Amino acid sequence: MSTATAQPASSSPPIRLAILDDHEILLDSLATWIERNAPEFDLVVRAGSWLELVHSEAFPTDLVIMDLQLQESVSIGARVRTCRAAGAKVVVLSAVDTQQDRDAALAAGAVAYVTKSQPMSELIAVSLAAMGRDGAAVEQKPVWRPRPAVPEASRPKLSDGERQALVLYADGRTTSEVARAMNVQYETAKTYLRRVREKYGKAGRPTSSRADLIRRAAEDGYLT
């Protein structure tokens, strides 16, 4: 079967793309549309399961478009964080649209959350924007970001160092990795994180676990 394929308008290399969806018909439909209509992407992985994606020799890709709900018991947060740690950006595609699902995906580090009711052209435009590619010809809705969910008065005043340590830690790094990324001593990074927890604790917003810190960072707009 021969299909004419347009050439990318820019000289930038194609974006290496993986698609994860355990609904075979939807996976094939999405992959076929992208291959025929989105020359900016090089679709290198079509995965029907999470394990198939991460075990692929082509993983990590530049971008993963991943279904929110899979039959596997791996949470969306864990999947997104794994992809981010491997160096891949993630766009979450979902048949449902709830604040809780959006928060979980975006707090974990997904760059966008798109519903399956939106046109394919919007998915492509959002994906291109996520990869820093301009020139998406379609008019798109702004990419949803977590909005501050608490009043300004309830948001503790963090220093620049504390804020940077919070963002890095919420991104899945260890305290040692936070220290290296900030180019400070381990004890300094540990102190920053301790102060963050103390300030949130005084504000009545618990941060006893990493999940709590991710949630607080998302609520206060630090993960945009």
Side-chain angles (χ1 to χ4, degrees), residues 124-140:
I124 296 304
V126 167
S127 299
L128 288 172
M131 297 304 299
R133 297 287 180 93
D134 297 325
V138 296
E139 181 179 351
Q140 65 187 84

Side-chain angles (χ1 to χ4, degrees), residues 58-79:
F59 183 82
T61 53
D62 300 321
L63 179 69
V64 178
I65 296 176
M66 127 181 351
D67 192 13
L68 173 72
Q69 297 175 318
L70 299 178
Q71 294 181 4
E72 295 160 288
S73 59
V74 184
S75 71
I76 184 62
R79 284 185 271 133

Side-chain angles (χ1 to χ4, degrees), residues 6 13 18 26 37 45-47 50 55 85 89 104 106 112 119 133 156 167 177 187 194 196 200 206 216:
L26 291 178
N37 299 282
V45 181
R46 300 187 191 193
W50 171 242
H55 288 167
K89 294 186 177 181
L106 292 163
R133 297 287 180 93
V167 171
E177 290 170 337
E187 289 300 326
R194 175 177 55 79
V196 168
Y200 274 107
R216 300 293 88 83

Side-chain angles (χ1 to χ4, degrees), residues 12-25:
S12 300
I15 298 163
R16 296 179 66 254
L17 174 66
I19 302 175
L20 170 60
D21 195 314
D22 59 8
H23 192 294
E24 184 177 354
I25 294 176

Side-chain angles (χ1 to χ4, degrees), residues 11 17 19 28 45 54 59 87 96 104 118 121 125 127-128 157 175 187 189:
S11 58
L17 174 66
I19 302 175
D28 184 66
V45 181
V54 295
F59 183 82
V96 297
Q118 294 175 243
S121 57
S127 299
L128 288 172
K157 304 297 182 184
T175 304
E187 289 300 326

